Amino acid sequence: DDEMNVQIRFRGIDGSEDLKQHATRRIHQQLSRFGRDLTSVVLRIADENGPRGGRDKRCQLSVTGPRVGSVHLSELHEDVRAGLDLALGRLGHTIGRSIARARELGPRTLVRSET
């Protein structure tokens, strides 16, 4: 089974089992179409300023895979679930573009020169 490896980490926020399951499900729904192109997904959910509230829930996604390298993005929102959906939507577009580029350029592109 070459399922992608999904890890979810919480910082300064109560990570309920329910939220964990919700997040895992959403990640699979949004990213499973990339199949083997993604080997691991790490979601970090952090509460930036504690009890003061506001737009302070940071959902940070990091994915790695053979054709996408590593992609990181984060979204700040007052609601964790909404923030996660926004971040996953953006991530899906980003990965889709990387894979399309890799496909156009062929297998030689794994060697990237820093300019």
Side-chain angles (χ1 to χ4, degrees):
D1 186 15
D2 51 13
E3 268 286 275
M4 61 187 163
N5 171 20
V6 175
Q7 292 173 45
I8 299 174
R9 304 191 184 132
F10 296 97
R11 201 183 72 228
I13 191 172
D14 178 34
S16 65
E17 201 45 49
D18 182 53
L19 180 57
K20 237 183 186 152
Q21 285 173 358
H22 171 81
T24 305
R25 201 169 47 243
R26 295 296 295 139
I27 287 169
H28 282 291
Q29 282 169 350
Q30 292 283 332
L31 303 180
S32 62
R33 70 180 189 272
F34 299 116
R36 291 179 189 165
D37 286 311
L38 297 186
T39 43
S40 80
V41 181
V42 179
L43 167 65
R44 290 182 187 83
I45 297 176
D47 193 324
E48 301 269 294
N49 54 8
R52 279 184 314 201
R55 283 189 55 176
D56 64 345
K57 307 297 185 297
R58 181 176 295 284
C59 289
Q60 186 184 2
L61 281 159
S62 305
V63 297
T64 52
R67 290 203 288 184
V68 296
S70 58
V71 181
H72 310 278
L73 61 81
S74 74
E75 196 65 69
L76 260 184
H77 207 283
E78 62 270 14
D79 178 71
V80 171
R81 291 168 190 236
L84 174 62
D85 281 350
L86 282 170
L88 279 169
R90 284 175 50 208
L91 188 66
H93 286 299
T94 305
I95 296 167
R97 278 202 309 270
S98 311
I99 291 172
R101 229 182 2 254
R103 218 177 266 138
E104 281 161 25
L105 295 166
R108 287 184 308 281
T109 59
L110 288 174
V111 185
R112 273 201 287 254
S113 57
E114 297 300 314
T115 46

